[in-house]
């Protein structure tokens, strides 16, 4: 067959395959789904956010994975932009620093990438589900029955444990010792809120011009009030801290200081109801007034107390939405399970990349950059390992 095997055809796996092919290796990519890059394509449905154009120190500080910084620094935002342009995909940077292909969708970029891989003689086997090892061989269940493959090097890139229908089901973890794993946890996810009937008219309504906090500085972002709870980029930005126990709060008026809010609330109220007073003096939209009533009824009469609520409204919730609904996951292969080249300590010649590794980052271009960077790092390391006279030991 081939002397390099990549298991998983998402961004990390495809990048690892390209690095191996560039090093002169014959590469086979095995994918359990009928087609490749399914989660990548889903990520591009609302605009493929490739990376974020911001100072490197700020960019790298968002990753909860110091041990992966060497890989990230070697293929950071500038490199991701150059890579996309090399695939003849024009890109642009939005006002928030987020970088997108001008086509917005993932499909043109993926087609160009697959065409380039085909020119490099990278072959693909779909509907091949990895079920573990037999000695040094990888075992696959395929449409033609079980198959054993024993390449010189292997890169595992099978994703995390969210979006099962797209291929990231986390089932691979069953083949590892528990000591090599950190438990999977949802990341970049919404939270369950049991809304009262008072909120029925607002289900599906977007929340704009707000900021979320969870034990730290507020982060501006948007959200949607869904029938299940709160979803959206603003919630995702603080979801890790909320998942781990921090209190979720919303600043309903991030453009005003608490002193400004209080000053406006102290204006003469006259015969206006408290709700009308809030609406007229603070220009609070109906959905924000509804949230105040939902989470803080009965509303305080004191302007100081009311201003504090508006600037930091506590959100009672019942925890994260199910892990399969999360955009990404934390947990997976622990840093102690691999060496600095991302090779498994327990299995020389086998490397890992992407969401299989225990790292976490917010949405906004960080996730795709992390997958591309670790795939490149693992692919290059696997190619170097395969070139040794003896590929039987861990460095």
């Amino acid at each position: 067959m081939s002397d390099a095997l990549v298991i998983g055809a998402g961004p990390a796996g495809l990048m690892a395959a390209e690095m191996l092919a560039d090093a002169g290796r014959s590469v086979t990519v095995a994918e359990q789904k009928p087609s490749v890059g399914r989660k990548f394509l889903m990520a591009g449905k609302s605009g493929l956010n490739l990376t974020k154009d911001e100072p490197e120190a700020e960019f790298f500080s968002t990753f909860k994975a110091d041990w992966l910084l060497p890989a990230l620094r070697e293929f950071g935002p500038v490199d991701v932009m150059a890579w996309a342009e090399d695939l003849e995909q024009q890109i642009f940077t939005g006002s928030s620093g987020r970088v997108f292909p001008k086509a917005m969708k993932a499909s043109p970029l993926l087609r160009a990438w697959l065409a380039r891989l085909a020119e490099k003689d990278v072959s693909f086997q779909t509907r091949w589900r990895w079920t573990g090892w037999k000695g040094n061989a990888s075992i696959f269940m395929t449409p033609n029955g079980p198959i054993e493959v024993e390449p010189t090097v292997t890169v595992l890139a099978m994703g995390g444990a969210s979006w099962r229908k797209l291929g990231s089901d986390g089932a691979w973890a069953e083949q590892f010792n528990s000591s090599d794993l950190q438990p999977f946890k949802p990341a970049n996810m919404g939270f369950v809120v049991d809304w009262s009937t008072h909120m029925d008219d607002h289900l599906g309504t977007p929340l704009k011009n707000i900021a979320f906090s969870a034990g730290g500085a507020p982060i501006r972002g948007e959200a949607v009030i869904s029938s299940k709870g709160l979803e959206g980029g603003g919630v995702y930005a603080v979801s890790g801290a909320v998942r781990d126990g921090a209190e979720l709060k919303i600043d309903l008026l991030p453009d005003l200081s608490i002193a400004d809010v209080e000053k406006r609330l102290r204006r003469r109220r006259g015969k206006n109801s408290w709700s009308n007073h809030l609406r007229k003096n603070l220009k609070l939209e109906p959905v924000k007034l509804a949230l105040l009533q939902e989470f803080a009824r009965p509303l305080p009469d004191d302007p100081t107390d009311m201003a504090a609520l508006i600037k930091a409204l506590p959100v009672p919730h019942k925890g994260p939405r199910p892990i399969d609904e999360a955009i990404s996951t934390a947990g997976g292969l622990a840093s102690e399970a691999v060496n600095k080249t991302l090779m498994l300590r327990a299995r020389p010649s086998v490397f890992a990349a992407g969401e299989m590794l225990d790292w976490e980052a917010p949405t906004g271009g960080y996730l795709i950059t992390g997958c591309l960077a670790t795939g490149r790092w693992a692919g290059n390391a696997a190619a170097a390992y395969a070139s040794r006279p003896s590929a039987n030991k861990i460095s």
Side-chain angles (χ1 to χ4, degrees):
M1 210 171 136
S2 49
D3 62 355
L5 172 67
V6 176
I7 306 177
L14 295 180
M15 184 61 84
E18 185 154 24
M19 296 303 100
L20 284 158
D22 286 347
R25 295 290 152 184
S26 172
V27 185
T28 295
V29 179
E31 166 60 44
Q32 67 170 326
K33 290 297 183 179
S35 59
V36 306
R38 289 197 165 194
K39 193 173 180 182
F40 186 60
L41 291 170
M42 178 62 75
K45 262 199 158 181
S46 57
L48 181 65
N49 189 184
L50 288 170
T51 192
K52 192 169 185 184
D53 188 3
E54 63 185 3
E56 285 194 350
E58 186 178 343
F59 183 87
F60 297 134
S61 69
T62 62
F63 287 83
K64 296 180 181 177
D66 288 347
W67 59 290
L68 293 177
L69 285 178
L72 292 166
R73 289 197 175 106
E74 190 169 286
F75 199 74
V78 172
D79 305 290
V80 172
M81 289 186 270
W83 165 79
E85 290 176 329
D86 195 45
L87 284 167
E88 299 182 350
Q89 303 300 302
Q90 292 183 312
I91 58 173
F92 72 95
T93 302
S95 58
S96 64
R98 297 183 178 192
V99 178
F100 301 86
K102 284 193 174 179
M104 290 300 285
K105 297 180 180 180
S107 51
L109 187 150
L110 182 60
R111 281 196 299 270
W113 197 5
L114 293 175
R116 187 164 77 183
L117 291 174
E119 291 174 359
K120 297 179 180 183
D121 292 328
V122 175
S123 63
F124 289 85
Q125 296 290 346
T126 56
R127 294 188 174 90
W128 279 32
R129 183 177 182 83
W130 184 75
T131 58
W133 288 286
K134 181 179 178 182
N136 292 323
S138 279
I139 310 301
F140 294 92
M141 287 303 300
T142 78
N144 297 317
I147 290 177
E148 296 182 20
V149 181
E150 190 171 351
T152 305
V153 290
T154 300
V155 177
L156 306 176
M158 290 179 277
S162 64
W163 292 83
R164 178 179 299 269
K165 65 181 180 181
L166 301 179
S168 296
D169 56 15
W172 56 263
E174 298 171 3
Q175 306 301 325
F176 288 81
N177 294 326
S178 59
S179 58
D180 289 334
L181 302 169
Q182 290 293 331
F184 285 121
K185 297 185 290 187
N188 295 297
M189 67 291 183
F191 288 85
V192 178
V193 179
D194 283 343
W195 304 112
S196 70
T197 54
H198 164 75
M199 295 297 293
D200 285 353
D201 291 341
H202 301 284
L203 298 182
T205 302
L207 276 170
K208 298 184 177 181
N209 193 25
I210 55 172
F212 290 90
S213 61
I219 300 175
R220 295 186 73 130
E222 297 184 0
V224 174
I225 296 174
S226 77
S227 60
K228 299 174 181 178
L230 280 172
E231 302 277 353
V235 180
Y236 303 156
V238 298
S239 60
V242 178
R243 176 200 64 210
D244 294 340
E247 186 178 17
L248 177 61
K249 295 183 179 181
I250 304 177
D251 181 349
L252 297 174
L253 293 171
D255 292 327
L256 296 178
S257 69
I258 191 168
D260 289 334
V261 174
E262 183 177 344
K263 181 179 179 180
R264 295 187 184 196
L265 289 175
R266 289 191 181 279
R267 292 173 181 170
R268 189 169 180 274
R269 180 169 155 186
K271 295 183 179 180
N272 283 321
S273 68
W274 200 208
S275 290
N276 278 338
H277 189 61
L278 292 170
R279 179 175 54 80
K280 288 183 177 180
N281 288 282
L282 295 175
K283 309 300 181 187
L284 279 177
E285 300 98 316
V287 66
K288 292 183 179 180
L289 287 169
L291 284 177
L292 276 171
Q293 294 285 358
E294 180 74 2
F295 295 143
R297 197 169 39 201
L299 299 180
D301 287 321
D302 181 73
T304 301
D305 294 340
M306 192 69 211
L309 267 181
I310 289 169
K311 292 295 291 179
L313 178 66
V315 179
H317 62 85
K318 295 195 171 182
R321 295 292 305 157
I323 194 169
D324 195 47
E325 296 179 14
I327 290 177
S328 59
T329 52
L333 281 172
S335 58
E336 297 81 8
V338 297
N339 69 6
K340 64 183 180 180
T341 70
L342 299 183
M343 183 163 65
L344 302 186
R345 295 190 182 278
R347 283 190 172 272
S349 81
V350 179
F351 299 75
E355 273 199 77
M356 287 187 69
L357 302 169
D358 178 26
W359 61 283
E360 187 173 357
T363 57
Y366 304 101
L367 292 171
I368 289 179
T369 297
C371 288
L372 293 171
T374 55
R376 184 178 187 276
W377 186 269
N380 281 331
Y385 188 91
S387 298
R388 296 177 180 183
S390 173
N392 296 316
K393 6 183 206 185
I394 298 176
S395 59

